[in-house]
Amino acid sequence: MNLSARILVIEDNPTNLELMMYLLSAYGYEPLTAMDGLEGLEIAQRQRPDLIVCDVQLPKADGFEVVRRLKAEPAFRTMPLIAVTALAMVGDRDRLLNAGFDGYIAMPIHADDFVKTVDGYILIELLSGKLQHSR
Ligand code: MN
């Protein structure tokens, strides 16, 4: 599926960032990247991506702060914000969803699951007419 949308990946681990960028590009998405929470917030506000994939443990502002600050703005309320985290304890999923994340991808990243999850959220945006950069 090629849904051509802009995806911001906020991730401080270069290996994970590279993998996610590679997968998104390979499947026709346009990836934007940030390596800490503050840079992520700045790029989100400036570039208005269609979806954000955000690591939880990040320098400067962690994923919880990123989601709190973005979801406080009307412009970002309907934009999917997906957490990516290695945390695997029971209850983390609820903690992430309660914080305002729309979904959750567990690390390590599995190529198929990662792309299918992103495709799913982008497809919902497309069908509801909310995709900001549909071409
Ligand atoms: Mn991290």
Side-chain angles (χ1 to χ4, degrees):
M1 189 159 23
N2 184 345
L3 296 168
S4 307
R6 294 163 76 196
I7 316 285
L8 171 60
V9 181
I10 311 174
E11 165 65 278
D12 62 321
N13 179 301
T15 309
N16 289 338
L17 181 63
E18 204 173 312
L19 173 60
M20 290 188 274
M21 278 176 65
Y22 169 77
L23 290 171
L24 291 169
S25 300
Y27 284 85
Y29 289 108
E30 184 186 333
L32 306 166
T33 63
M35 294 191 75
D36 66 61
L38 291 184
E39 190 192 11
L41 285 163
E42 191 187 301
I43 293 174
Q45 274 148 350
R46 204 171 55 222
Q47 305 275 348
R48 295 296 166 91
D50 299 297
L51 179 146
I52 297 177
V53 174
C54 187
D55 183 22
V56 173
Q57 290 171 309
L58 286 167
K60 297 187 186 175
D62 69 8
F64 288 107
E65 190 175 344
V66 170
V67 73
R68 184 179 58 74
R69 286 172 60 174
L70 286 182
K71 291 294 184 177
E73 295 181 38
F76 290 101
R77 256 168 226 156
T78 60
M79 186 215 58
L81 221 155
I82 312 303
V84 183
T85 178
L87 303 176
M89 294 181 299
V90 176
D92 276 350
R93 189 186 165 81
D94 287 344
R95 195 175 156 227
L96 294 166
L97 298 181
N98 288 338
F101 283 106
D102 298 284
Y104 171 99
I105 295 170
M107 282 198 277
I109 301 290
H110 296 287
D112 270 12
D113 294 345
F114 177 75
V115 174
K116 275 179 195 158
T117 301
V118 170
D119 280 352
Y121 283 99
I122 291 295
L123 193 56
I124 290 165
E125 278 191 285
L126 199 62
L127 294 174
S128 61
K130 284 177 187 143
L131 205 61
Q132 304 208 38
H133 297 280
S134 48
R135 279 160 276 174

